[in-house]
Amino acid sequence: MSHSFDLLTAEEIATACAVAKAGYLDHVSDHPAGLEPKLRYPVVQLLEPDRRAPPDAGGNGARLLEVVVLERRTGLVNEVIVDVGSPRVIDWRTVPGVQPPLLIDESGKAIGAMKADPRFVAAVAARGITDMDLVQVDPWPAGNFGLPYDDGRRIVRCIPYQVEDPTDNGYAHPLEGIVGIVDCSSYEVIDVIDSGVVAVPPNSGRYGAADVGPIRDGLRPLEITQPEGPSFVVDGNAVEWLGWTLRFSFNPIEGLVLHQIAYLGRPILDRASIAEMVVPYGAGAATHWWKNAFDVGEWGLGRLTQSLERGCDCLGEIRYADVVLPDEHGGSRVVTNAVCMHEEDFGILWKHVNLWVNDNQVRRNRRFVISFVSTVGNYDYGFFWYFYLDGTIQLEVKLTGILQTGACDQRATEAPDNGSLLAPGLWAPYHQHLFCARLDVTVDGPDNSVEEIDVVGDVGQEFGNAIVTRATLLETERQAQRLANAEISRRWRILNSHAKNALGQPTSYMLVTASPVTLLAQPGSAIAKRAAFATMNLWVTPYHPDERRPAGSHPNQHPGGAGLPEWTAHDRPIVDRPITLWHTFGVSHVPRPEDWPVMPVEYAGFHLRPAGFFDRNPALDLPAHMGDCCEL
Ligand code: CO
């Protein structure tokens, strides 16, 4: 049976784009006469049903796709809602002054334009390189800094690296000081900046098995087998695992989206995803100061997802899901093995030795894992959702791949300001990776509230030992713009005042931060305006189906203010109703020599832990002996 969160099919994508194309001239009255529209489809995504609508209204009814249509020459953007069943246009909106994500196609053409530009050729030649085949040009979202070319044109910034051949790690050989700016409609190279020659770092950054010397010995086989198969069942996009149920979909912008997460039939999360992220760089040099990649909204984590390999990316009894992604031209492509599902042992869940009788009771934990990996230029991000036997939900982001680099004096023992030295003449700017999780909560039902809980010492107590918790109900959006505070164990409790546990308390889940970083750029800076979501660890908004991404739907080249700052300006009430939590977390990355030439995984994330959701430890019922267990 079909479900409203079913994965998109190639037919649906083709239909939605064809309907949008056919309707273009009917809906866009000011298209230049006599010119055939040159349309691209940067985003084709499921328009998810309004969670407040009754189930039969959005359940198995119409499949609505949202198509973002870009006219290449005029730059005009339209958002079109297509009912792919009928098929027909349901809604057509022209959106002036916005830029959809960068297109793979236009990025390729911008690179070609750069390599053909005499100013660029001269700048590269000044660093001793004359063969353009040995130059790697990386396109970057341009941002918006109020500069002369930030005038509404669709632009991309480009920076070059030297490579020995296409298999080389170009980030070892940055051509410091060169930045190109290309108009993506005309492919005119607007400007080539050369802030001065720095010698190209000579050392290889290759990291393949053939490049790194002798391979380490002594690793004996470590095999994970489940002779009776895994304990989960996947049916289409529905998953069941030991009491947990959920559905998953795949969005070209956000990547993996989880829906209708419940435990033993009790709802917890209606929707969960990484709805935006930004990687602001913190160095002032010409090649670096403007780097602020919104890898969700400017590129699309979904579009850049990669096929995973059994035994390498994923170990054990794996179930994969393929996904179909739009291809910008109205068609689609399949990414096989894009979503990985498996089960992992996770050590001890609980244990006690009763010393009076030498009785050892121990139960092992395990988790269900659903994940995908997206490669955005030099970086690779793995997004792993974990579900545990005690009701805990966790998101873990794995950050790996290759650092953004710069060239400096090869005799230097320190990097320039705002960065770390990696290798002779090679450095990496300090930067941040700030992720924003969108959590549409539904703890025991749709009407939830959030309390901030601080754990503090109490000065008023006679013996000086008292600990108290301070709970503050977050009543409106402005009050709910919060920073984490590890010193007082601050966490946020999502509660349902209509559902009570055996102790008579509202049932609840706790959002427990693990890496609550916020934006370090100065207030008033371009990036602080554009990534306002990243200035707070928590925002809470009343659920609204149009409020989907925390920096707005079109962050590419946006001057700022869209998304959370705009919505929360209304200071709407957030108590006892369907709400969305937006949690910003991440890493302030001070690169180490060990992060070169490819980074060992760094982790960031958070937990959602039951807190009075159950009446006692919900994992008492686990079987004691799953294998051979030694007696004390
Ligand atoms: Co980093």
Side-chain angles (χ1 to χ4, degrees):
M1 194 168 79
S2 74
H3 189 275
S4 46
F5 298 120
D6 280 349
L7 297 169
L8 291 190
T9 66
E11 293 73 27
E12 287 178 325
I13 292 170
T15 302
C17 295
V19 168
K21 185 178 185 180
Y24 192 83
L25 290 178
D26 298 337
H27 290 90
V28 179
S29 51
D30 58 349
H31 186 77
L35 268 187
E36 182 75 11
K38 257 187 138 170
L39 305 184
R40 295 290 181 272
Y41 311 90
V43 183
V44 184
Q45 62 187 346
L46 184 66
L47 187 73
E48 297 168 17
D50 186 335
R51 64 175 284 210
R52 300 166 307 181
D56 53 346
N60 300 315
R63 285 273 282 180
L64 303 184
L65 266 57
E66 180 181 57
V67 186
V68 177
V69 182
L70 169 70
E71 209 289 335
R72 283 249 320 107
R73 281 173 301 213
T74 62
L76 194 68
V77 176
N78 289 271
E79 292 174 349
V80 184
I81 310 296
V82 178
D83 177 345
V84 290
S86 36
R88 65 197 167 93
V89 170
I90 299 287
D91 186 44
W92 191 293
R93 250 187 303 177
T94 298
V95 193
V98 301
Q99 295 294 348
L102 275 76
L103 301 175
I104 307 297
D105 191 37
E106 71 187 356
S107 301
K109 291 201 170 82
I111 292 166
M114 284 289 291
K115 289 189 175 186
D117 186 272
R119 295 163 293 181
F120 181 70
V121 171
V124 169
R127 287 151 178 85
I129 304 147
T130 50
D131 182 352
M132 279 296 144
D133 289 341
L134 303 184
V135 177
Q136 167 189 325
V137 176
D138 279 15
W140 270 76
N144 189 323
F145 302 94
L147 295 170
Y149 37 77
D150 291 322
D151 58 356
R153 267 185 283 187
R154 185 169 171 81
I155 58 173
V156 64
R157 279 184 161 83
C158 295
I159 47 175
Y161 303 84
Q162 183 183 17
V163 287
E164 291 172 358
D165 61 60
T167 67
D168 193 15
N169 174 2
Y171 303 103
H173 314 294
L175 303 183
E176 185 71 37
I178 307 175
V179 185
I181 297 135
V182 182
D183 183 315
C184 291
S185 296
S186 61
Y187 298 117
E188 172 205 352
V189 179
I190 297 169
D191 199 5
V192 177
I193 295 156
D194 185 350
S195 65
V197 173
V198 182
V200 182
N203 291 4
S204 171
R206 288 183 188 265
Y207 47 83
D211 307 306
V212 294
I215 295 301
R216 195 182 300 193
D217 230 346
L219 280 79
R220 295 184 177 149
L222 193 162
E223 282 170 13
I224 296 162
T225 56
Q226 294 189 281
E228 297 170 29
S231 320
F232 61 91
V233 178
V234 183
D235 178 11
N237 67 336
V239 180
E240 273 188 61
W241 179 71
L242 301 175
W244 287 99
T245 50
L246 59 94
R247 285 181 183 273
F248 64 90
S249 67
F250 205 83
N251 180 285
I253 302 303
E254 297 168 85
L256 183 66
V257 182
L258 303 183
H259 305 273
Q260 299 172 339
I261 297 167
Y263 187 72
L264 299 177
R266 295 170 65 188
I268 298 163
L269 279 168
D270 193 65
R271 185 189 195 280
S273 72
I274 291 296
E276 192 52 86
M277 63 173 282
V278 64
V279 189
Y281 283 80
T287 330
H288 307 286
W289 64 266
W290 48 268
K291 288 178 181 167
N292 295 302
F294 290 66
D295 289 338
V296 176
E298 292 177 335
W299 279 117
L301 291 176
R303 293 164 73 205
L304 298 174
T305 198
Q306 306 296 316
S307 292
L308 299 169
E309 287 182 54
R310 200 183 294 270
C312 304
D313 291 300
C314 324
L315 218 51
E317 276 295 320
I318 306 297
R319 299 291 178 270
Y320 284 114
D322 300 344
V323 300
V324 180
L325 288 167
D327 73 356
E328 309 175 357
H329 295 273
S332 60
R333 64 196 168 89
V334 179
V335 180
T336 56
N337 296 0
V339 177
C340 172
M341 289 167 275
H342 71 284
E343 199 175 8
E344 285 177 354
D345 180 88
F346 197 62
I348 292 172
L349 174 53
W350 62 260
K351 172 186 171 80
H352 182 60
V353 179
N354 181 338
L355 295 175
W356 301 102
V357 293
N358 234 6
D359 174 52
N360 176 31
Q361 292 290 330
V362 56
R363 305 291 183 272
R364 288 199 72 77
N365 204 355
R366 63 172 73 184
R367 61 190 185 187
F368 171 73
V369 190
I370 180 165
S371 66
F372 77 108
V373 177
S374 190
T375 299
V376 191
N378 53 303
Y379 261 106
D380 302 72
Y381 297 103
F383 298 87
F384 292 71
W385 290 94
Y386 301 125
F387 297 86
Y388 293 89
L389 295 175
D390 68 346
T392 299
I393 301 169
Q394 181 189 359
L395 172 67
E396 184 172 73
V397 184
K398 301 184 183 183
L399 300 87
T400 181
I402 304 177
L403 289 160
Q404 269 299 307
T405 52
C408 61
D409 184 342
Q410 290 176 21
R411 292 155 305 179
T413 55
E414 291 291 338
D417 288 345
N418 321 118
S420 311
L421 199 62
L422 298 176
L426 187 75
W427 69 290
Y430 302 150
H431 59 279
Q432 298 186 283
H433 304 262
L434 298 158
F435 304 92
C436 188
R438 170 184 159 191
L439 303 167
D440 291 358
V441 292
T442 179
V443 174
D444 268 332
D447 294 336
N448 288 174
S449 306
V450 179
E451 278 180 355
E452 180 167 280
I453 312 277
D454 293 339
V455 186
V456 294
D458 187 4
V459 291
Q461 209 266 5
E462 183 184 357
F463 303 106
N465 67 319
I467 299 167
V468 293
T469 55
R470 293 217 180 101
T472 309
L473 180 69
L474 304 178
E475 295 186 48
T476 67
E477 288 177 292
R478 275 197 209 136
Q479 197 198 349
Q481 298 171 4
R482 308 301 303 161
L483 289 172
N485 189 338
E487 254 182 283
I488 50 172
S489 310
R490 177 169 291 170
R491 71 267 320 264
W492 294 289
R493 180 183 180 215
I494 304 137
L495 61 95
N496 186 327
S497 55
H498 307 282
K500 298 285 192 315
N501 63 21
L503 303 172
Q505 304 159 331
T507 59
S508 72
Y509 258 74
M510 205 73 86
L511 170 59
V512 183
T513 62
S515 32
V517 176
T518 51
L519 185 74
L520 294 171
Q522 297 304 304
S525 62
I527 188 57
K529 289 181 207 153
R530 301 182 63 230
F533 73 87
T535 62
M536 291 287 156
N537 292 117
L538 181 77
W539 306 66
V540 184
T541 56
Y543 166 82
H544 192 286
D546 293 343
E547 298 179 3
R548 289 181 275 174
R549 301 225 309 271
S553 293
H554 301 283
N556 189 17
Q557 294 184 245
H558 199 284
L564 281 169
E566 185 185 338
W567 309 328
T568 58
H570 299 107
D571 204 23
R572 294 166 294 184
I574 51 171
V575 175
D576 200 17
R577 65 196 65 212
I579 51 175
T580 300
L581 275 68
W582 310 82
H583 174 39
T584 301
F585 63 94
V587 174
S588 291
H589 192 175
V590 174
R592 310 166 298 162
E594 289 88 345
D595 290 337
W596 182 256
V598 62
M599 244 179 80
V601 165
E602 175 138 25
Y603 301 90
F606 62 89
H607 288 79
L608 287 160
R609 308 191 67 126
F613 187 78
F614 302 107
D615 297 331
R616 57 179 189 165
N617 181 346
L620 297 175
D621 59 345
L622 290 173
H625 298 283
M626 285 298 290
D628 294 328
C629 208
C630 58
E631 302 284 326
L632 277 184

